[in-house]
Amino acid sequence: MTLSEKETLSQNNFPAVEKLLHNEIYEYIKQIFTPFPEKSIETQIDEIINDFSQNFLIADNANTNVEIDWVIRNFGNSKIPAQPTDFETYFQSLNENVVAHSIHTSSPQFIGHMTSALPSFVRPLAKLMTAMNQNAVKIETAKALSFCEREALAMMHRQIYNLSDNFYTQHIQNNQSTLGILVSGGTTANITALWCARNKSLGAKHEFLGIEKEGLTAALNYYGYKGAVVIGSELMHFSFDKAADLMGISTKNLIRVPVDSNNRVNIRVLRQAVADCRQQNLHIIAIVGIAGTTDSGSVDPLEEIAEIAQENNIHFHVDAAWGGPVIFSRKHQHKLAGIEKADSVTIDGHKQLYLPMGIGMVFFRDPHLASSIEKQASYTMRKGSFDLGKRALEGSRPGMALFLHAGLKLIGLNGYEFLIDEGIRKTQYMAARISAMPEFELLAEPDTNLLIYRYIPEQFRDVIANKQLTETNNQFINNFNESLQKMQRQIGRTFISRTTKKTINWDKEISVIAMRAVIANPLTTEGDIEAVLNDQIQIASGISIAY
Amino acid sequence: MTLSEKETLSQNNFPAVEKLLHNEIYEYIKQIFTPFPEKSIETQIDEIINDFSQNFLIADNANTNVEIDWVIRNFGNSKIPAQPTDFETYFQSLNENVVAHSIHTSSPQFIGHMTSALPSFVRPLAKLMTAMNQNAVKIETAKALSFCEREALAMMHRQIYNLSDNFYTQHIQNNQSTLGILVSGGTTANITALWCARNKSLGAKHEFLGIEKEGLTAALNYYGYKGAVVIGSELMHFSFDKAADLMGISTKNLIRVPVDSNNRVNIRVLRQAVADCRQQNLHIIAIVGIAGTTDSGSVDPLEEIAEIAQENNIHFHVDAAWGGPVIFSRKHQHKLAGIEKADSVTIDGHKQLYLPMGIGMVFFRDPHLASSIEKQASYTMRKGSFDLGKRALEGSRPGMALFLHAGLKLIGLNGYEFLIDEGIRKTQYMAARISAMPEFELLAEPDTNLLIYRYIPEQFRDVIANKQLTETNNQFINNFNESLQKMQRQIGRTFISRTTKKTINWDKEISVIAMRAVIANPLTTEGDIEAVLNDQIQIASGISIAY
């Protein structure tokens, strides 16, 4: 059937409504669901939206400088209109109220968060994904896509674990094997990894049916544990708090080990924590290593953590949501050495794989580990099928695998290597500039492409240089940096985020408010970095906080 | 700055690489990240993809008839290419291997799953969402979008709960209030609802810090319970198994109450189950009512469940992932009466709100319930902020709110009412046709727009009519229907799914394999319904199973 035949048909055959009381709404619904009438609504909207996208993407500033209270004014209507809004009016208001006051995450001077510019092919691909509207939960709604997803995940698995050709031939399209799970984000990936680790380590044994069927309390009783814990650095992402809460083990039992001055977990203390837990008869579900902390991009000593986990027969999870793609760089991949010993690894596609928001991944060394969370349902999710939803936290989900597959093929190893190398190179450039400028203090040597530093008001530059800073001075500098970051954000020309670092000084723990730069946008130049720092200096000159 | 100035600039200013060893990859990366050069890659890909989309959307059949083993052959390569694949080659192979063998979820004769045709405006909107690439986790990466999302959720909340103007004015943009949470799907929505219910009911009290901080075992001890359960119908979606497992209460303690012949939970048995749990000192985290079972679209008697929950002071959750939008129909909304008494409600946008895959929602009657799962983090998620990620299972997530907002405004109450009414009307038409055709047996009167029935081979039509079917007969008919559904799926002209119903017969429980139709696609006509049934009759005539 040709397109024009189809148009005629879909217009003629539209369901006959016996009593056509709602003539208008009927015509309208027909119109918006019919794929391609001449100069269709879709074509018209496509043109409007291409304009919006272009204007959005060429904007230089990080954001408009309007106040949040002003933006909020436009979103106070909780009533759904009875009649459909005409699309020109709607898209015009969407542009004025939403697009105009959205964050220019792709701006080269927006270097404060892990969201950056994307390659252009993802935009048309988003339209294709939506046109196809596959549901990856089961093979009956995602036939070829299910295998495409498995292939893309296997490619990433190979990049991390580099197992034999034979291993991949055996598992890549084997419905009993799960090399990885595509999820909506790193949080779900981390929760899934710990869920698998928990269920496997407290599984069925003799007459005990396993934690899944008998619950946490019964499992701890059966195995003779007093509680269950997860151990990692104090810089673990807050998704681990969510996981510990959700799984019922408590956030108190998320054991946070202190980091060294470079924000890497203290191995000696970690080893001691493991020994303490064992002595207290606490079950260690997993030890977590971080490859790229959210705070500062630092990478834990993964080899050493792997060793501790192996010695104690504990699941080793690596949260590489941010840093994972550093494995693409021949120059920097050594920083992640030991990741290949992890039982599970989280990587976000929407971070350093430069894919759209909504692509998290968890990978497993053992292709059968995810069986510990498998579920069935009669209407779908049949045993022995390729239904991807049976070993996953999520059910229905979109075909985001299209982006992952396209990214790996269209950017390739060399493309990703270039992106990683450039990000780290520019971060080192920024670190060097900060060290050279009297206005700033570098707070840690960057491991990867995150950088923390702070602005030092003029009157404290000497005491900083002489390491004579008092706690009161520090508090003042904190307030100053918080104001500076907020003002910079509000003005909206450039953007840097902020975080709070705990450091030991004067023999006690103090908080340092830090500026946090994330250099991932390939469009960001050295000139942009200078511009961001100069913007801060300029804004700082106008801040007066009484000392 | 104009677009052409920007083009020149972004090409000139691309980061200088001191030693340009990777000239080609550098040029390539520059090219794919630059938004709009003349006849850009983006424009070219957009044209290619428009063709793919058109061809995909005008296809009549449900799917190609190729075997899965044949599709798999194309997805066996676990190696990421070193050099980027050229985009024409890649998209050509994507079209041949993925698009061509994807399921035509929008085909009017694909009436077997909850995935259907979408209004055309979602396709350009997907491109805009990807261009904007907002991260809804926090205000610093989603300024206007955060408020747009809150408004869209408030609109849905109002549709469910219909509280006062004053209530919505107070909470719609109040950062202490959470009227709803946008999640990736119904599974995450259900898990989130139960998580909130669990944490609230086992919260801090006197010296006890609450389940979040002290864990499940300590909470049960402190409150003096022997265990924790969730109670609902035996037709609860398998996401509740996931939730019970994940939360550590065990799938055994997901108490499944039998349904009546119309697939609605048996209220007498439910009441008894609640009493039994109380007597056994088991904490009831929630009672679940279903508004649209996955199996057959049936709706539990929500009013009566609400009453039991209220009497016993138990959280009442309604899983309306499928059936929720029936509230838009003045004619059918009475079927959901009682939903407004629920403490939490799950609705999927990617089902009967006709939005793309990846939009689940959970709503709360009490705007402060979600505080029970709140988390903070120093780099973001600050107390008192509008950061949406602090009260959510997920962290980083896309701006799917754009679709929800646009759907509510562009389809409106009248549009959604039309869609719901038409789906139910056509389902009743199909039910009448099935009842009238000797080849089929209707297995339950449809509550909404799901229908279960089966094919009866000729030799059993008399015994069915005389209610003299034996267990052996039934098993034969089951095998026949399973074969029929698989053949129909494989041939790919039309599609109906299948499920397994447990019914009591001959004084024991038997399994009935059922055909399952889902009539939600507004492009599906009575003619399409006839075509699907006739396709089954034709395929059935060629099946020979020895009796």
Side-chain angles (χ1 to χ4, degrees), chain A residues 59 65 77 94 99 101 132 145 167 209 246 256 274 389 425 483 499 520 522:
Chain A
N65 63 356
N77 185 357
L94 185 74
V99 184
H101 306 297
M132 292 168 62
L145 182 83
F167 175 89
L209 300 174
L246 195 50
R256 294 180 171 279
V274 170
R425 186 187 65 76
S483 299
T499 189

Side-chain angles (χ1 to χ4, degrees), chain A residues 44-318:
Chain A
Q44 293 172 59
I45 296 176
D46 206 42
E47 284 164 12
I48 296 174
I49 274 179
N50 278 342
D51 285 348
F52 294 172
S53 298
Q54 288 211 356
N55 291 329
F56 185 82
L57 289 169
I58 60 168
D60 285 315
N61 59 339
N63 188 26
T64 55
N65 63 356
V66 301
E67 297 281 347
I68 278 186
D69 287 345
W70 191 92
V71 178
I72 286 182
R73 287 188 333 175
N74 300 308
F75 300 101
N77 185 357
S78 60
K79 285 182 182 154
I80 304 171
Q83 287 299 324
T85 315
D86 100 274
F87 71 89
E88 279 172 340
T89 310
Y90 178 70
F91 282 105
Q92 214 43 57
S93 81
L94 185 74
N95 195 38
E96 284 164 21
N97 299 330
V98 183
V99 184
H101 306 297
S102 285
I103 305 293
H104 297 139
T105 53
S106 59
S107 157
Q109 297 181 13
F110 177 88
I111 51 171
H113 279 304
M114 294 173 165
T115 312
S116 110
L118 299 181
S120 56
F121 64 78
V122 300
R123 293 186 282 273
L125 202 51
K127 210 163 62 170
L128 180 64
M129 184 186 86
T130 309
M132 292 168 62
N133 200 32
Q134 303 293 286
N135 181 348
V137 71
K138 52 183 169 272
I139 201 88
E140 285 186 346
T141 51
K143 194 172 169 180
L145 182 83
S146 304
F147 308 110
C148 179
E149 176 171 317
R150 292 185 64 103
E151 183 179 74
L153 290 169
M155 286 192 247
M156 286 299 298
H157 189 283
R158 186 168 197 140
Q159 209 54 29
I160 301 165
Y161 291 108
N162 196 23
L163 299 177
S164 68
D165 283 347
N166 187 41
F167 175 89
Y168 291 102
T169 306
Q170 191 186 334
H171 296 290
I172 187 169
Q173 297 297 354
N174 179 337
N175 64 25
Q176 297 302 308
S177 310
T178 306
L179 297 181
I181 305 175
L182 202 64
V183 296
S184 65
T187 296
T188 305
N190 283 334
I191 293 173
T192 303
L194 295 185
W195 184 19
C196 290
R198 188 199 70 175
N199 280 18
K200 173 81 186 295
S201 62
L202 297 171
K205 193 173 165 189
H206 306 311
E207 76 287 3
F208 182 65
L209 300 174
I211 183 169
E212 177 189 2
K213 295 198 174 59
E214 304 211 18
L216 177 63
T217 308
L220 296 175
N221 272 342
Y222 177 81
Y223 281 95
Y225 294 120
K226 273 175 57 191
V229 305
V230 169
I231 306 179
S233 123
E234 61 179 313
L235 294 179
M236 275 185 290
H237 185 256
F238 78 118
S239 54
F240 291 97
D241 293 271
K242 292 180 179 178
D245 177 4
L246 195 50
M247 295 198 305
I249 66 166
S250 88
T251 52
K252 181 196 73 192
N253 279 350
L254 180 64
I255 296 175
R256 294 180 171 279
V257 174
V259 293
D260 64 21
S261 61
N262 282 315
N263 297 307
R264 299 178 194 136
V265 70
N266 183 319
I267 285 291
R268 192 185 48 74
V269 184
L270 176 66
R271 196 180 288 277
Q272 190 56 51
V274 170
D276 288 350
C277 287
R278 293 181 64 120
Q279 208 193 354
Q280 291 169 54
N281 215 14
L282 293 167
H283 171 55
I284 304 168
I285 291 175
I287 304 179
V288 176
I290 314 174
T293 55
T294 315
D295 243 3
S296 59
S298 52
V299 180
D300 282 335
L302 302 180
E303 286 277 19
E304 293 173 75
I305 304 177
E307 201 177 285
I308 297 173
Q310 212 153 20
E311 279 167 19
N312 291 275
N313 196 26
I314 299 166
H315 183 104
F316 173 37
H317 175 67
V318 173

Side-chain angles (χ1 to χ4, degrees), chain B residues 197-198 200-202 205 223 225 229 271 274 278 282-287 305-317 341 343:
Chain B
R198 189 200 68 175
K200 173 81 185 296
S201 62
L202 298 171
K205 193 173 164 185
Y223 282 94
Y225 294 120
V229 305
R271 197 179 288 277
V274 170
R278 293 181 64 118
L282 294 168
H283 171 56
I284 304 169
I285 292 175
I287 304 180
I305 304 177
E307 201 176 284
I308 297 173
Q310 214 153 19
E311 279 168 20
N312 292 276
N313 197 24
I314 299 166
H315 183 103
F316 174 35
H317 175 67
K341 293 176 180 156
D343 295 293

Side-chain angles (χ1 to χ4, degrees), chain B residues 4 13 26 32 35 62 118 137 151 154 158 164 235 241 253 318 371 385 407 418 457 465 501:
Chain B
S4 62
N13 270 23
Y26 158 76
I32 64 170
L118 300 181
V137 71
E151 182 179 74
R158 186 166 198 140
S164 68
L235 294 180
D241 292 272
N253 279 350
V318 173
S371 305
S385 75
F418 176 83
K501 299 294 306 165

Side-chain angles (χ1 to χ4, degrees), chain B residues 447-478:
Chain B
D447 260 7
T448 54
N449 51 350
L450 262 73
L451 197 61
I452 48 173
Y453 66 100
R454 62 176 170 172
Y455 183 87
I456 306 294
E458 201 164 356
Q459 68 263 44
F460 299 107
R461 290 177 195 165
D462 284 345
V463 294
I464 287 270
N466 301 326
K467 297 185 190 248
Q468 291 168 332
L469 199 74
T470 67
E471 204 175 336
T472 321
N473 296 158
N474 183 67
Q475 190 49 54
F476 181 87
I477 298 172
N478 277 354

